[in-house]
Amino acid sequence: MYPLIQRSYRKMMMMMMINGHHYQRLLSSSTATTNYVLNEPSEPNIVTAEIPGPQSRRLIDDLNKIQNAGAIQLFVDYEKSIGNYLVDVDGNTFLDIYSQISSMPLGYNHPALIEAVKDPRNISSFINRPALGILPPKSFNDQLHSALLSIAPSGLNEIQTMACGSCSVENALKVVCFYYRTWQRGQPPTEDDMLTCMTNEQPGSPKLSIMSFMGSFHGRTFGALSCTHSKAIHKVDIPAFDWPIADFPRYKYPLNEYSDYNQREDDRCLAKVEDLIEKYNRKAIPVAGMIIEPIQSEGGDYHGSKYFFQQLRKICTKHHVAMVIDEVQTGGGPTGKYWAHEHFEMDQPPDIVTFSKKMLIGGFYYRPMFRPDKPYRIFNTWLGDPSKLILLEQVVRVVKEQRLLERIAETGDYLLDHLKRIQNQYPSILMNARGIGTFCAIDFPTPSLRDQTIKQLHRNGVHCGGSGSATLRFRTTLTFEKHHVDQFIERFDHTLRSLSNNK
């Protein structure tokens, strides 16, 4: 009898309650997969007259007494938030298309992650954070393979974990410089290198440069800021390196109507890249590496074409410039592939790919020749957090079992079709609908109109955010589906109608 009971148990639908959330867990004996169905709200629900509500405003005022709280939008009740719906401390329920600045892979309180946290076998990893560079846990190698290397970009089979996106970029750029100087010298650092680096002098502290692109965002730490060119408030008052800044293409939309113009724009930007490499070589500040986003995410959701990135890869190879693709915001699946640069089909992989956000842990993949040749060259106390790898293992499993990348690609097509349709309804307000997967964006004619729209969308139950100066960006979870798109479009249309009527 027992096997029969066991088989019946595996097929039945079980209702579970964890942290106040009900969800359905359906086990399939034929596929050995687990399909979780979150009991999300049927729609957003705003219960306060203003956003933020009174409880949020009180907490913001309290926080402002001990730190600058000017960027705070809301205080959130994370226990009540679920799936694609964010609940604030005032009880307002929002459809969330921002997902913590693109960092929530499966949404709020996903049962697979809750189960991982509740598993007694994982308790040690959650309470004992190790100094990974010297004392990793016994499960670390297996976790790297199952969580990170199983989804590594093609051609990049080595990995370094980090705590966040900015430190991933910082250390990736250090690796670039190590590699370049070893190639330049033809040997490890000399005694003279070791002595002069201590006083910030050459040759131990060489004059090298990293190329970046106007409109880019790579982080707010010191070195990353010299590669960041999106918002002045990030950079003002901070000393910067003399590093080259190239132009990133600025296309006209619809792309098929402006193909000639956009091709010329690609070629103009590519020529500028080569000119800058040669210019900095003449200045004796050679370009050791180039860092670029597949989509300029904070700077305004600017896209580069497949041709543009294919040619950049060739330029980097030609001039012995390391190509670093920054996938902190685009990585982890929102474009319908784990890595946005894979859409470009370059003839060689990038040399380094940085990640964080939806990956739940920071770090970078790299080609074998970029491995540092000495211990402690890439090092800090934590070098990431193994407990995040436990969660990422579950994310990777759910993404694979539920075909979430294929589904997000389909949802993204559906979203973009609706954005183009509503753009045609409001041609004086909306323009340049674009995107890959659900990593979409649409522009407004002025920053003030964009900001006004975002505030009104908040009042209408959609939590969202902007990029660049006048862009509404979409940063959904991987569980975002077509019915969520329908909810957004209905509220977007209502918002635009009210703004049009108030002109």
Side-chain angles (χ1 to χ4, degrees):
M1 287 294 293
Y2 180 74
L4 179 61
I5 294 171
Q6 187 179 49
R7 287 195 297 270
S8 298
Y9 178 76
R10 285 178 59 81
K11 292 180 180 179
M12 80 177 184
M13 184 179 295
M14 298 176 295
M15 295 302 298
M16 303 180 70
M17 164 106 46
I18 295 178
N19 286 348
H21 292 300
H22 290 281
Y23 65 87
Q24 296 172 337
R25 184 175 185 234
L26 182 62
L27 296 177
S28 167
S29 59
S30 61
T31 61
T33 62
T34 306
N35 291 318
Y36 297 100
V37 181
L38 286 164
N39 286 341
E40 293 181 326
S42 58
E43 61 181 1
N45 183 35
I46 302 302
V47 298
T48 60
E50 296 293 332
I51 303 295
Q55 291 275 40
S56 271
R57 288 200 301 272
R58 179 182 63 78
L59 290 169
I60 291 170
D61 290 342
D62 286 347
L63 182 61
N64 205 44
K65 294 173 184 176
I66 55 175
Q67 64 175 242
N68 187 323
I72 304 294
Q73 298 176 4
L74 301 165
F75 272 77
V76 177
D77 189 333
Y78 285 103
E79 290 186 6
K80 293 182 179 177
S81 301
I82 188 165
N84 291 280
Y85 294 86
L86 178 148
V87 180
D88 72 6
V89 293
D90 290 284
N92 296 303
T93 301
F94 302 85
L95 174 68
D96 189 359
I97 66 168
Y98 199 47
S99 67
Q100 306 295 317
I101 321 178
S102 199
S103 67
M104 299 286 289
L106 302 179
Y108 299 99
N109 290 303
H110 193 280
L113 305 191
I114 291 174
E115 288 183 351
V117 172
K118 289 172 69 75
D119 188 336
R121 294 170 297 181
N122 295 331
I123 289 174
S124 176
S125 292
F126 282 101
I127 65 174
N128 299 302
R129 187 175 184 179
L132 276 175
I134 55 173
L135 297 168
K138 62 183 180 181
S139 58
F140 188 53
N141 295 1
D142 290 339
Q143 288 178 323
L144 289 179
H145 281 279
S146 60
L148 285 169
L149 291 174
S150 68
I151 56 172
S154 177
L156 305 183
N157 56 7
E158 298 201 16
I159 184 79
Q160 175 64 63
T161 52
M162 285 287 159
C164 68
S166 293
C167 59
S168 302
V169 167
E170 291 282 346
N171 284 280
L173 299 185
K174 286 167 59 180
V175 166
V176 166
C177 294
F178 299 158
Y179 173 77
Y180 190 88
R181 281 293 287 153
T182 300
W183 169 78
Q184 205 175 41
R185 282 189 309 254
Q187 61 181 6
T190 65
E191 184 177 350
D192 191 29
D193 291 319
M194 303 297 274
L195 289 171
T196 54
C197 76
M198 300 303 290
T199 53
N200 300 337
E201 296 176 289
Q202 295 186 65
S205 296
K207 288 193 174 183
L208 300 177
S209 62
I210 303 292
M211 179 180 291
S212 54
F213 290 79
M214 186 58 68
S216 62
F217 181 86
H218 298 291
R220 298 177 179 87
T221 49
F222 208 89
L225 273 177
S226 281
C227 300
T228 290
H229 317 287
S230 49
K231 293 181 181 177
I233 194 63
H234 301 325
K235 292 173 66 72
V236 65
D237 298 330
I238 305 300
F241 295 110
D242 181 7
W243 288 354
I245 307 166
D247 292 339
F248 195 91
R250 296 291 184 262
Y251 299 141
K252 290 185 178 181
Y253 290 85
L255 293 176
N256 61 340
E257 293 182 16
Y258 293 97
S259 56
D260 290 344
Y261 173 89
N262 293 335
Q263 178 69 55
R264 291 194 299 272
E265 177 68 355
D266 276 343
D267 290 333
R268 181 188 70 80
C269 293
L270 291 165
K272 181 72 175 290
V273 167
E274 289 217 82
D275 286 345
L276 284 169
I277 291 172
E278 293 166 4
K279 175 184 176 182
Y280 272 74
N281 282 340
R282 292 193 298 270
K283 290 174 64 172
I285 315 176
V287 179
M290 166 195 296
I291 186 165
I292 189 168
E293 301 159 274
I295 302 168
Q296 288 194 329
S297 306
E298 292 292 325
D301 279 68
Y302 292 110
H303 289 244
S305 70
K306 182 184 295 188
Y307 167 79
F308 176 72
F309 276 89
Q310 288 174 347
Q311 296 307 307
L312 273 185
R313 174 68 268 190
K314 292 176 181 177
I315 289 171
C316 287
T317 301
K318 173 184 174 182
H319 293 280
H320 201 83
V321 171
M323 187 180 204
V324 181
I325 300 281
D326 183 349
E327 294 249 26
V328 166
Q329 193 157 148
T330 53
T335 68
K337 294 181 182 289
Y338 263 114
W339 307 105
H341 76 266
E342 292 179 338
H343 289 282
F344 303 139
E345 300 174 350
M346 298 183 294
D347 62 356
Q348 292 184 57
D351 297 301
I352 298 174
V353 172
T354 62
F355 61 84
S356 190
K357 291 192 182 286
K358 273 188 171 61
M359 299 292 286
L360 302 180
I361 189 171
F364 54 92
Y365 298 96
Y366 57 93
R367 298 173 74 188
M369 66 281 280
F370 285 85
R371 178 191 290 201
D373 60 349
K374 298 284 192 303
Y376 294 103
R377 301 212 80 186
I378 298 297
F379 190 85
N380 58 50
T381 298
W382 285 330
L383 288 175
D385 184 348
S387 69
K388 301 304 181 185
L389 292 176
I390 291 173
L391 299 179
L392 182 58
E393 283 181 304
Q394 296 307 310
V395 170
V396 171
R397 178 179 64 82
V398 171
V399 168
K400 180 180 180 181
E401 290 181 354
Q402 298 190 3
R403 297 179 57 251
L404 292 187
L405 296 187
E406 294 92 330
R407 289 166 61 180
I408 210 68
E410 294 169 3
T411 302
D413 290 342
Y414 186 72
L415 171 60
L416 190 55
D417 286 345
H418 277 280
L419 290 177
K420 290 177 179 177
R421 178 184 60 78
I422 205 166
Q423 173 181 282
N424 292 334
Q425 287 180 241
Y426 299 94
S428 64
I429 296 178
L430 299 174
M431 62 200 75
N432 303 334
R434 58 200 182 275
I436 308 175
T438 59
F439 205 95
C440 292
I442 197 163
D443 292 339
F444 290 78
T446 64
S448 61
L449 184 56
R450 188 275 309 273
D451 294 345
Q452 190 180 356
T453 301
I454 288 174
K455 289 180 181 179
Q456 190 60 44
L457 279 169
H458 287 174
R459 297 187 188 101
N460 289 336
V462 178
H463 190 254
C464 54
S467 65
S469 62
T471 299
L472 175 67
R473 59 171 155 174
F474 296 78
R475 300 294 187 264
T476 77
T477 72
L478 302 181
T479 60
F480 198 78
E481 298 186 357
K482 291 180 181 179
H483 71 273
H484 298 119
V485 174
D486 293 336
Q487 287 186 5
F488 167 74
I489 291 296
E490 178 186 354
R491 285 157 179 76
F492 196 31
D493 182 48
H494 177 72
T495 299
L496 295 170
R497 256 187 288 119
S498 65
L499 290 173
S500 298
N501 292 336
N502 290 334
K503 275 188 173 182

